[in-house]
Amino acid sequence: MQRVAAVVPRVAQAVIAIVTIGFFFGGFVGIVTSDLPPSRRVVPLVLLAALLALHLRNCVRRLDGGRPAGWRWTLAAQAVLTFVPMIWYSSTWYGNVGFLCGAVLLLVRPGRLAWAGFGAVLAADLPLSLAERPTVAEALYFLIGQAAFVGVAVYGMARLADLVAALEETLRALPAARVARERLAFTRRLQENIGVALAGAIERGEHALTLIGERPDEARDLLDDGVRGARTALATTRRVAHEYLARLDGPDEPARARTVAGDLTARTVAVLGAATLGLMIVPYPLRFLARGGHSAWSSALFVLLLAVYVVLYVYGCLWAYGRPLGAVRRYGVLGGLVVLTFAPMPFYGPTTWAVLPFLPGAAAVLLGRRLRWPAAALLVCQDVPFGIWGTAHWGTAYFVVWTAERAALVYGLARMAGFTATLQDAREEMAAAAVARERLRFSRDLHDLLGYSLSTVVVKNEVAARLAAARPDEARRQLAEALGMSRQALADMTGVTSGYRDMSVAAEAGAARATLAAVGIEVAHAVDVADLPADLDTVLATVLREGVTNILRHSRAARCSIEAAVIDGVARLRLVNDGVDGPPAAPAADRAEPGGIGLPSLGERVAARGGVLTAERTGDGFVLSVEAPVRVERPAQATAR
């Protein structure tokens, strides 16, 4: 994508420069072949060179799409050099108005004022064209087929470059926006489904804390309600986690036409490109149709065939290039254009049915890479053999340049359409991939973080309920720890939605020891992992949480050991428990859930950090262990060695 972003403005620059120089070459030929004495040709040639330099400065955009310094003065100077020399050189100077139209569209802001200026330039040119051309049809051709076409072509290429540059800038902005929207919806769902239940459990637990020892029956009832609320939150957590896991490839919002560069959308630019091709093709043959004495039905058929030609041309060279066709269709479209180019000639004559000069552009776009340029060059130079044997050498050279500049314009528009489609697709794919990654993270973090906290809350509330009458002091301690874990669960909710979830394996080991001891499990604790990198510390802490959650839910363990250390640059975590056979140590009525995501997802996290996670059963025991390098060697470091 970076290569596309770098090449696109240069493609636009090259095409604008080629079209500009090609049209100015027409002015040069007009001066050289005029009736002016050779001594009087120097001044118009110098003025023409100055006008060319001004136009290139005004319209060949910088890579950032900005306007050149002092553009108001250079635009004014271009306007003066466009109209004033017509006083003396009207027969050769009228073709330069189109460049002023393009400069106005590119430099004037806002867009409405620019188009108004474009219309004003054409309006000023109309009486000049009528004075110079013998018929209204000829004057309209030079007004629309030359001035308007050149202006729109220059503007269209530059604005297409703006669109592609803006699309490239949003390659990361769009995924970030989609992820932000997904996080907002996720946060709302957590708050509505889990946060409310958890907040209610905390409120009842705080009330029960004041009643333990004085009114144990009421305290036990409140604790039972709190347990049910915590279980509901836990069940909802697991359900939501699995739903997001199932939605990894789910649909995102449908693509819409988005404004990405000022007033531009992809649809607007497609219309602009089609208008450019239409202005290039339509006026030229209509100019010659107006010269002949064709009947009404013959003229109507001419217009119909020309409309079909333009539609097929735009489809093959612009729209289809943006969404590439297969070889059969490409050659089918090109074959259709060839038929429409030559079949009407016997009826109207090659001079009137004058669409052959546009075939090189179609060949450059629709043929394969090896054939496109030889075929386009051959078609561009179709008149060269006749010019060699004739006397109109300048006319032949002008026609070759005229045809080549239009072929370059068509190819440039097609390439820009292809770049636009590529970047549009890339934005959508990157956004979909970012949303899928975020959904996977939601699922994992819900399971790994909230699942642990809520499992612990359920256990401690149940222990407090059992001890409320017989051992009120111990019940208060268990309930206080449960309330702390509940508040931690609410904090974990914020961490899950924001993506910030750094954890410490040392802190988790201490919390795990207290949690397991509260349900009567003997814990051996040996943890010495100071100064671990934050990402590795978080991974190990998350594995430890999942392991303790599994002990509480799936075993009737009596003993457990937690070991963590760094040996020879490798961090090692080992969690061992017995009691694998038999019912779990704590009630878990909601244990049934569709498919686990804990250990597999943790294995992926560990592997991403360069480590290995193993989980195996040993007799009536279970061992969960992780080994991961403390420092991960980066590719650049490996290369340096």
Side-chain angles (χ1 to χ4, degrees):
M1 290 303 101
Q2 291 179 349
R3 190 183 71 84
V4 169
V7 75
V8 162
R10 291 181 172 85
V11 170
Q13 285 179 327
V15 172
I16 293 173
I18 290 172
V19 172
T20 298
I21 294 172
F23 272 97
F24 272 99
F25 180 75
F28 169 79
V29 170
I31 294 172
V32 171
T33 59
S34 67
D35 295 332
L36 292 172
S39 60
R40 293 187 59 189
R41 296 174 189 171
V42 176
V43 173
L45 288 174
V46 171
L47 292 175
L48 187 66
L51 187 59
L52 171 62
L54 280 171
H55 180 73
L56 290 175
R57 174 176 174 78
N58 287 334
C59 295
V60 177
R61 306 279 290 273
R62 300 199 308 269
L63 296 183
D64 61 0
R67 293 178 287 188
W71 65 269
R72 292 178 178 83
W73 296 105
T74 56
L75 182 60
Q78 184 175 350
V80 170
L81 282 178
T82 298
F83 286 109
V84 172
M86 286 188 186
I87 299 173
W88 303 284
Y89 315 110
S90 59
S91 62
T92 60
W93 212 260
Y94 54 84
N96 298 320
V97 175
F99 301 104
L100 181 60
C101 291
V104 168
L105 288 177
L106 286 176
L107 297 178
V108 176
R109 302 286 189 276
R112 291 182 180 179
L113 185 59
W115 285 105
F118 173 83
V121 173
L122 292 180
D125 185 47
L126 180 58
L128 299 174
S129 297
L130 288 172
E132 182 62 32
R133 293 286 118 184
T135 65
V136 174
E138 285 288 299
L140 289 176
Y141 166 71
F142 281 97
L143 186 71
I144 298 173
Q146 294 285 339
F149 161 61
V150 173
V152 172
V154 169
Y155 174 74
M157 284 304 304
R159 293 299 274 154
L160 271 171
D162 289 346
L163 176 68
V164 176
L167 285 172
E168 194 275 336
E169 290 177 2
T170 61
L171 279 176
R172 291 179 177 82
L174 180 63
R178 293 271 182 89
V179 167
R181 186 173 58 252
E182 190 76 10
R183 285 183 179 180
L184 181 62
F186 181 71
T187 302
R188 187 182 301 115
R189 186 172 184 188
L190 282 189
Q191 183 59 37
E192 292 174 352
N193 292 275
I194 300 173
V196 172
L198 197 54
I202 292 173
E203 183 180 356
R204 287 187 289 273
E206 290 175 341
H207 190 196
L209 193 61
T210 64
L211 299 179
I212 292 177
E214 298 178 2
R215 289 182 283 178
D217 292 339
E218 293 182 31
R220 188 163 47 249
D221 291 340
L222 287 171
L223 288 172
D224 289 340
D225 289 342
V227 169
R228 284 191 289 271
R231 284 183 179 175
T232 299
L234 180 58
T236 303
T237 297
R238 293 171 184 163
R239 185 181 72 252
V240 172
H242 284 280
E243 287 177 1
Y244 270 89
L245 188 63
R247 289 177 57 200
L248 291 185
D249 298 321
D252 199 10
E253 71 167 17
R256 299 190 303 270
R258 297 181 180 86
T259 300
V260 292
D263 57 338
L264 291 181
T265 65
R267 181 175 301 173
T268 303
V269 171
V271 172
L272 184 62
T276 302
L277 294 183
L279 287 172
M280 179 186 76
I281 298 172
V282 173
Y284 189 64
L286 287 183
R287 171 195 187 190
F288 298 109
L289 177 67
R291 291 179 179 178
H294 297 278
S295 64
W297 73 266
S298 179
S299 298
L301 180 60
F302 186 100
V303 172
L304 178 62
L305 289 172
L306 185 60
V308 173
Y309 184 89
V310 171
V311 170
L312 189 60
Y313 199 99
V314 171
Y315 171 77
C317 296
L318 191 62
W319 190 88
Y321 200 88
R323 306 291 180 188
L325 300 174
V328 174
R329 285 194 177 184
R330 282 192 292 109
Y331 286 108
V333 170
L334 183 59
L337 289 173
V338 171
V339 170
L340 285 173
T341 297
F342 292 101
M345 284 185 180
F347 302 97
Y348 295 102
T351 302
T352 302
W353 184 251
V355 297
L356 182 57
F358 308 115
L359 199 56
V365 171
L366 294 171
L367 287 176
R369 292 183 178 180
R370 294 182 179 180
L371 295 176
R372 64 176 48 152
W373 296 120
L378 184 64
L379 290 169
V380 164
C381 297
Q382 57 189 284
D383 274 1
V384 170
F386 302 101
I388 292 175
W389 296 105
T391 58
H393 299 302
W394 279 114
T396 300
Y398 169 71
F399 187 76
V400 169
V401 173
W402 188 93
T403 307
E405 73 194 15
R406 279 157 176 77
L409 176 63
V410 173
Y411 182 74
L413 287 172
R415 287 295 305 272
M416 300 297 278
F419 289 143
T420 302
T422 298
L423 288 172
Q424 288 274 41
D425 291 342
R427 290 201 322 158
E428 297 300 325
E429 290 173 6
M430 290 180 66
V435 169
R437 286 194 299 270
E438 193 68 3
R439 287 173 179 172
L440 178 60
R441 187 187 67 78
F442 289 158
S443 177
R444 286 175 168 176
D445 287 358
L446 276 176
H447 182 277
D448 298 343
L449 300 181
L450 282 182
Y452 169 84
S453 300
L454 293 175
S455 295
T456 304
V457 168
V458 170
V459 170
K460 288 186 174 292
N461 271 285
E462 289 175 338
V463 171
R466 290 199 302 267
L467 300 177
R471 297 164 57 188
D473 291 339
E474 179 64 17
R476 288 191 190 94
R477 187 178 70 82
Q478 291 293 333
L479 182 54
E481 292 178 358
L483 290 172
M485 292 298 294
S486 297
R487 297 185 182 97
Q488 178 62 45
L490 286 176
D492 286 342
M493 279 179 52
T494 303
V496 169
T497 55
S498 67
Y500 178 81
R501 54 192 187 282
D502 282 354
M503 299 164 59
S504 165
V505 68
E508 288 301 321
R513 181 179 185 181
T515 299
L516 294 171
V519 295
I521 299 176
E522 180 183 339
V523 181
H525 180 272
V527 175
D528 183 13
V529 285
D531 299 327
L532 283 178
D535 59 338
L536 179 58
D537 210 5
T538 297
V539 169
L540 295 180
T542 306
V543 172
L544 182 57
R545 273 199 178 190
E546 175 65 14
V548 172
T549 299
N550 288 339
I551 291 173
L552 293 172
R553 294 176 58 213
H554 302 304
S555 77
R556 61 181 191 90
R559 289 180 297 279
C560 174
S561 67
I562 302 173
E563 301 173 3
V566 177
I567 302 173
D568 297 330
V570 177
R572 291 178 169 85
L573 172 68
R574 182 178 173 87
L575 178 65
V576 183
N577 65 278
D578 60 3
V580 172
D581 295 322
D590 54 350
R591 191 182 323 134
E593 56 177 311
I597 63 172
L599 292 181
S601 71
L602 290 175
E604 294 175 7
R605 292 189 183 193
V606 172
R609 190 54 179 69
V612 177
L613 181 146
T614 58
E616 57 183 349
R617 185 168 175 171
T618 57
D620 68 342
F622 192 84
V623 179
L624 178 65
S625 63
V626 174
E627 292 188 1
V630 174
R631 305 294 175 189
V632 178
E633 186 177 71
R634 305 300 177 192
Q637 295 172 336
T639 303
R641 295 181 182 180

